[in-house]
Amino acid sequence: MKTIGLIGGMSWESTQTYYRLVNQHVRMALGGLHSARVVLYSVDFADIEALQHQGNWEATAEILAAAGSAVEAAGADCLVLCTNTMHKVAEPLEAAVSIPLLHIAGATARVLQRQGIACVGLLGTRFTMEQAFYIERLQRHGIEVVVPTEPQRERVHTVIYQELCLGVVKAEAKADYLEIIEALAERGAQGVILGCTEIGLLVQQADTPVPLFDTTEIHAEQAVQWALGHGFV
């Protein structure tokens, strides 16, 4: 088994989900008392969040590059960035290390292709929904992307930063998200990507008939498959 390097803390609410999932998948694959070999570096999200909203992505890249180098030095064989938004700086992070970065959008695109999804809705932070770094990665796999309207994007973004990242789950927010998911389906989305690692804390597949693609679940599972030498699932 190879060692999975996790860069988390963005937020720690979803990072603990990553840690649980990678260990569960290893146990399912190997049985008994097996657990994942993991190196975890957790950043202070307050620093990252401030720089995000300042638009200072270069500084965020420097923080994550330092984290990636530390994870590699600690013995990790691959790098998993436990956040969707910060894949905006995936390229400088990759340049800072010699181990592979398992890209969350690429992992999700493979699952979408396997399920025959040609048009997908995308929920996430404003950065993920509005900037090119994530959408273009999906489009390169031949997948059309539909994003919420501007007021809906504002609501999705606000709930992420002011509630979910703080571990707060409200029924009102869940109802709003489900309404937005339904609206995306009405606009032609065959499924919806939960493109922020905290959204799975709020909405699950049992809540809606619209197929959901939880990037945290997908990313963690593919990291384990890679670590076990099975390639990507």
Side-chain angles (χ1 to χ4, degrees), residues 123-135:
L123 301 181
T125 66
R126 271 193 174 276
F127 313 115
T128 299
M129 293 185 290
E130 296 178 356
Q131 298 184 19
F133 71 95
Y134 202 94
I135 292 173

Side-chain angles (χ1 to χ4, degrees), residues 63 72 77 84 92 103 106 116 120 127 130 153 162 192 212 218:
I63 293 171
E72 182 176 15
D77 297 302
N84 285 270
H103 198 291
V120 70
F127 313 115
E130 296 178 356
R153 294 197 300 273
Q162 296 185 11
V192 173
L212 301 181
I218 292 168

Side-chain angles (χ1 to χ4, degrees), residues 64 95 112 116 135 210 224:
L64 295 187
L112 294 172
I135 292 173
V210 179
V224 169

Side-chain angles (χ1 to χ4, degrees), residues 21-230:
L21 287 171
V22 296
N23 281 288
Q24 286 177 339
H25 281 294
V26 168
R27 184 172 60 191
M28 285 189 291
L30 301 180
L33 296 176
H34 285 287
S35 56
R37 291 177 178 162
V38 171
V39 174
L40 170 61
Y41 188 113
S42 189
V43 302
D44 183 350
F45 189 42
D47 297 335
I48 298 290
E49 184 273 339
L51 293 168
Q52 286 176 339
H53 286 92
Q54 292 168 17
N56 191 346
W57 298 101
E58 182 178 351
T60 66
E62 291 174 358
I63 293 171
L64 295 187
S69 297
V71 168
E72 182 176 15
D77 297 302
C78 70
L79 204 53
V80 173
L81 186 56
C82 302
T83 163
N84 285 270
T85 297
M86 292 314 302
H87 279 75
K88 179 175 174 66
V89 297
E91 291 184 4
L93 176 56
E94 287 177 304
V97 298
S98 60
I99 57 178
L101 172 71
L102 307 184
H103 198 291
I104 196 168
T108 302
R110 284 188 287 275
V111 172
L112 294 172
Q113 287 180 315
R114 194 164 60 247
Q115 296 195 21
I117 302 294
C119 179
V120 70
L122 175 62
L123 301 181
T125 66
R126 271 193 174 276
F127 313 115
T128 299
M129 293 185 290
E130 296 178 356
Q131 298 184 19
F133 71 95
Y134 202 94
I135 292 173
E136 286 185 352
R137 174 75 65 139
L138 296 170
Q139 290 173 334
R140 288 204 295 268
H141 287 81
I143 299 166
E144 181 184 352
V145 181
V146 180
V147 299
T149 64
E150 199 285 330
Q152 291 172 337
R153 294 197 300 273
E154 178 61 30
R155 175 60 172 154
V156 171
H157 182 90
T158 299
V159 167
I160 290 169
Y161 280 95
Q162 296 185 11
E163 298 177 21
L164 299 181
C165 285
L166 298 172
V168 176
V169 177
K170 295 183 178 180
E172 180 183 359
K174 183 171 186 174
D176 289 344
Y177 268 57
L178 290 174
E179 183 178 327
I180 293 168
I181 287 168
E182 183 177 350
L184 290 170
E186 291 173 353
R187 291 169 56 198
Q190 297 166 282
V192 173
I193 296 172
L194 306 185
C196 175
T197 53
E198 285 82 18
I199 296 178
L201 303 173
L202 181 68
V203 177
Q204 293 81 43
Q205 186 61 74
D207 299 319
T208 175
V210 179
L212 301 181
F213 297 89
D214 188 331
T215 55
T216 304
E217 294 266 1
I218 292 168
H219 206 198
E221 181 180 5
Q222 292 203 15
V224 169
Q225 293 298 319
W226 186 90
L228 295 178
H230 301 157

